[in-house]
Amino acid sequence: MLGALALFALASAASAGRVPPPTPEDARFTYFYTTDLGNDNHEIMKQRLSAHPADATKCAALCAGAIGATCKTWSFCWKAGTCSLMAALPDSISKDSKGKSTYNPKCVSGILNEDKKEDESGPAGSEDAGDDAISLQYSNECTMPIVAAVHYKDFDGEWVTGPWVALAPGQTKEVAKTRNTVFYSYANEKGDPECVKGCWDGEDTFEKVDARKFGFREQNMPEGIELGDDYTHVFDCGSKKKKLLLLALAVALPAVAGRSAPLPAQHAPEAAAAAAAAAAAAALPPRQHVLADGLRAVRYWQELTNYTHASCGWEHGTLMTGVLALQEVLAQRNESAAAAEGLWEWGRKFGDDFSWKLCSPNGRGGGELNPDNQICAASYAQTYLAAPLGKRDPIWLADAATRYRSEAASDDVHWQWVDTLFMAMSVWARMGAATGDEVYFETMHRNFQRAVTGFGLWSERDSLFYRDPPAKRAHDQEGVFWSRGNGWAAGALVAALRHAAPPGGPPPASPARARAAEGYAWTLRRLAARLVSLQGGGVGGCWPVSLTDPGFFKVPETTGTAMFVHALAYGMRAGLLDARTHLPAVRRGWECLSRVALQPSGRVGWCQSGGDRPHRNIKAEITSDFCVGMFALAAAEVAQLAG
């Protein structure tokens, strides 16, 4: 809240007028937002501070403690993001040669975050207006970085121009708060102010940004936008030259929408799953529609990123597990051969780009022992499994095999937070399936048991997973069960079961593997039963971001929901979960994913950004590579269950 107060105060520094009178709260301190205040912003600020007395007291104390410190200019304060309370000595205000109020060297500013970057100090006009303003946001849906500016009406009724806002591909930022539904936009590719490569400009008004004039285009928000809403203006590059892979997917889409043939005999569900399959066929959308949604999501991401792999870390590794899950389902049907081949080529290119090695030293801390740096190998192994026998190259598995043989011989376990269950088990299970070596399944089960019981990730009382062990759990996270964290665990159970004891396949050859599969299935049933009971606390069929605290943030959330749908659909398809209890949850969850999260453009929104607990960083326009991968995982399982 302190940062919000700072932005509210500093944003008001642009208006001109009078210095406010001393406030009655503390005779020693005078609350200022600028040396030239105008209108009635002082009264607004007083109301804001009155609503948050703890923040006001804290800020005043900071300012009091800084008495005697060097004075900072207001321009510096604006860029740095400072304390919203200015503690001024009685003689600290004087008049400059033009009669304007100014501070002498005795002033005290209580600067906070002095090293904060200019472009992180907040959007233009970012007063903490709450529900009394529209949050205007810019989104870059191009494959290159851009810089943009906005000309808008501020809270004083004045038309102002904000500073440059840099937007990376796929990035969305708030650029202004306003109460007016008309604004003017301008943008150009970063490093191309002369618009050699084209701009998003216009001739409706010409405004200065950094002392240079640019032509802005008038924009009108649609009817229905109200104060308190978010509105996103998208900069779209339009049609670009597509990769051959995109063309293959586009050609294949009409075929996917055609009549479906029966599943091949080897994939026929066992008797326990037959009832679920029959019920799902009536309750879920047609298989080909679900697949079309999955393809639309991954195609959008391809176009957004121009088919580049930014990293081999967990984010893109999760995307690729979803891409290759879709590939596996599409390969079951002859009419989807072109799309399946295109997705497989994407997986092969991903491996080639990183030389089929685990992510260290390209990745994060912890090197190859960190499961976040291992998830990329799940795609390597899946690409190997999906390749025709004559195309399988042992080099695709070599680096992971070397690393995992060493890890299997060690007693060390690095699965100490819930995300690592998915990151690691997705690889171990596929490596076992690809090589036929039981040591992968045995080590995976040993490490899983250590993680859920030894490290305390599983709550027996709640039938849910914690994100961290008790020793590393923040005091305010006790009893908090994160949706995506439990989604990671659900996805890990599916990965283990699919490859250790695949549905419709022969029983595991190893008694130890069979017992491990029974343990995974037991955990999945317990988790699934609890998830079904918690779905109603979410929005639109999605699960809440904080599973046992649905009031924490009432918005749909995609990442956890996608993994729950993925796991519940698999459980029914494998005959582990009954349709009467779990199919309604899958149907509602998929409706939220396909009708709310998936947007007409193909963007998968409402994704919580990277984090380690429930957060409020969830908006319709927020997407990510790992979120798209999770959506694709859900689509792959729902499609198989439906058809």
Side-chain angles (χ1 to χ4, degrees):
M1 176 56 65
L2 193 59
L5 288 172
L7 290 175
F8 180 93
L10 294 169
S12 304
S15 52
R18 53 185 171 78
V19 175
T23 58
E25 288 90 338
D26 189 332
R28 182 179 179 186
F29 296 100
T30 303
Y31 297 175
F32 298 105
Y33 341 107
T34 180
T35 57
D36 300 298
L37 284 171
N39 301 321
D40 296 319
N41 283 336
H42 179 59
E43 293 301 318
I44 296 173
M45 188 62 181
K46 284 174 59 180
Q47 293 173 16
R48 181 72 58 181
L49 292 174
S50 297
H52 304 283
D55 290 312
T57 301
K58 179 180 179 182
C59 207
L62 287 169
C63 294
I67 289 179
T70 302
C71 208
K72 304 293 184 181
T73 66
W74 275 107
S75 61
F76 179 86
C77 297
W78 169 252
K79 294 177 181 178
T82 67
C83 186
S84 58
L85 289 157
M86 174 67 83
L89 298 176
D91 59 344
S92 65
I93 300 175
S94 60
K95 298 288 183 178
D96 63 13
S97 59
K98 297 182 180 179
K100 291 185 178 181
S101 300
T102 185
Y103 286 97
N104 68 21
K106 295 181 180 180
C107 76
V108 180
S109 60
I111 298 287
L112 301 178
N113 302 324
E114 294 188 16
D115 59 346
K116 199 168 185 180
K117 296 179 182 178
E118 179 174 354
D119 67 347
E120 294 177 348
S121 64
S126 60
E127 296 94 333
D128 186 8
D131 294 336
D132 297 331
I134 300 166
S135 172
L136 176 58
Q137 302 173 5
Y138 277 178
S139 180
N140 176 14
E141 295 194 2
C142 294
T143 58
M144 77 286 289
I146 66 173
V147 290
V150 62
H151 185 66
Y152 70 103
K153 185 177 285 190
D154 66 11
F155 293 164
D156 296 324
E158 300 291 333
W159 285 96
V160 296
T161 304
W164 288 117
V165 176
L167 293 166
Q171 188 175 24
T172 299
K173 287 184 181 179
E174 183 181 73
V175 294
K177 285 187 179 294
T178 182
R179 299 189 178 103
N180 196 37
T181 58
V182 177
F183 65 96
Y184 297 83
S185 66
Y186 173 87
N188 59 252
E189 186 173 340
K190 189 174 182 179
D192 183 28
E194 303 299 332
C195 295
V196 174
K197 301 177 182 179
C199 307
W200 295 265
D201 59 353
E203 298 181 355
D204 297 313
T205 183
F206 291 85
E207 305 297 335
K208 284 187 176 181
V209 187
D210 290 345
R212 177 175 173 176
K213 278 195 173 182
F214 295 88
F216 285 64
R217 177 173 297 180
E218 180 175 332
Q219 309 289 350
N220 291 271
M221 300 182 195
E223 294 184 5
I225 293 292
E226 300 177 349
L227 299 183
D229 289 346
D230 295 346
Y231 177 74
T232 302
H233 178 71
V234 174
F235 296 100
D236 190 341
C237 290
S239 60
K240 295 286 182 184
K241 185 177 180 180
K242 303 296 191 295
K243 297 288 182 181
L244 291 178
L245 173 57
L246 296 179
L247 295 177
L249 289 177
V251 169
L253 275 174
V256 173
R259 184 177 297 277
S260 298
L263 283 172
Q266 64 267 28
H267 293 287
E270 299 181 5
L284 297 173
R287 173 185 186 275
Q288 58 269 28
H289 292 179
V290 178
L291 287 173
D293 284 342
L295 285 173
R296 194 149 54 94
V298 299
R299 286 182 61 204
Y300 174 88
W301 189 263
Q302 287 177 313
E303 294 179 356
L304 188 66
T305 60
N306 198 27
Y307 193 53
T308 58
H309 303 121
S311 78
C312 53
W314 69 267
E315 299 96 329
H316 215 85
T318 302
L319 168 69
M320 295 309 300
T321 61
V323 167
L324 291 169
L326 280 178
Q327 185 277 334
E328 184 178 10
V329 179
L330 290 166
Q332 297 170 359
R333 306 291 172 88
N334 290 333
E335 74 269 22
S336 305
E341 183 177 358
L343 293 178
W344 183 84
E345 287 290 347
W346 190 0
R348 187 186 58 78
K349 184 180 187 303
F350 177 64
D352 285 343
D353 284 353
F354 297 103
S355 303
W356 304 93
K357 295 183 181 296
L358 300 186
C359 211
S360 181
N362 305 322
R364 323 289 173 84
E368 295 171 349
L369 295 177
N370 184 342
D372 285 352
N373 295 333
Q374 299 177 354
I375 179 65
C376 56
S379 298
Y380 306 163
Q382 188 62 40
T383 302
Y384 181 91
L385 287 166
L389 292 178
K391 285 190 175 182
R392 291 181 175 179
D393 189 340
I395 198 66
W396 300 349
L397 307 179
D399 187 63
T402 299
R403 173 67 259 171
Y404 278 15
R405 276 195 296 268
S406 174
E407 196 165 330
S410 170
D411 194 44
D412 294 335
V413 178
H414 301 274
W415 305 3
Q416 298 185 22
W417 64 99
V418 76
D419 315 34
T420 60
L421 299 181
F422 179 80
M423 308 304 165
M425 293 170 73
S426 294
V427 187
W428 285 91
R430 286 173 173 84
M431 288 294 291
T435 64
D437 191 340
E438 289 295 327
V439 72
Y440 290 102
F441 296 114
E442 293 167 4
T443 306
M444 177 174 68
H445 188 237
R446 179 198 72 184
N447 290 357
F448 175 76
Q449 288 182 310
R450 289 273 296 276
V452 299
T453 58
F455 294 139
L457 297 182
W458 171 255
S459 170
E460 181 65 25
R461 181 192 65 189
D462 299 283
S463 296
L464 293 169
F465 286 86
Y466 279 108
R467 198 273 179 178
D468 294 299
K472 296 184 177 180
R473 212 173 291 154
H475 72 279
D476 61 346
Q477 292 303 298
E478 192 63 44
V480 174
F481 296 98
W482 183 29
S483 180
R484 184 160 76 230
N486 279 268
W488 289 131
L493 293 169
V494 171
L497 285 163
R498 283 187 74 245
H499 298 285
S510 162
R513 197 202 316 175
R515 288 193 297 272
E518 290 174 3
Y520 300 139
W522 178 88
T523 306
L524 179 60
R525 291 190 188 100
R526 290 279 304 276
L527 176 63
R530 190 67 203 281
L531 291 174
V532 168
S533 72
L534 296 172
Q535 187 181 23
V539 174
C542 279
W543 273 264
V545 63
S546 185
L547 290 173
T548 56
D549 183 13
F552 172 78
F553 193 41
K554 295 288 286 187
V555 297
E557 201 286 310
T558 299
T559 58
T561 296
M563 297 304 277
F564 298 152
V565 169
H566 166 69
L568 297 181
Y570 171 83
M572 283 185 284
R573 192 169 65 83
L576 302 174
L577 304 174
D578 68 279
R580 186 174 58 126
T581 303
H582 301 91
L583 183 58
V586 168
R587 178 184 57 79
R588 293 185 63 219
W590 180 249
E591 285 180 352
C592 187
L593 293 173
S594 60
R595 298 181 183 180
V596 179
L598 183 63
Q599 298 164 16
S601 64
R603 178 205 291 262
V604 178
W606 294 108
C607 306
Q608 184 185 346
S609 302
D612 60 0
R613 65 191 65 190
H615 281 299
R616 292 180 171 83
N617 53 344
I618 307 166
K619 294 182 180 181
E621 64 274 10
I622 292 180
T623 190
S624 62
D625 42 6
F626 62 87
C627 187
V628 174
M630 291 167 153
F631 182 93
L633 285 168
E637 282 299 336
V638 172
Q640 291 181 91
L641 182 62

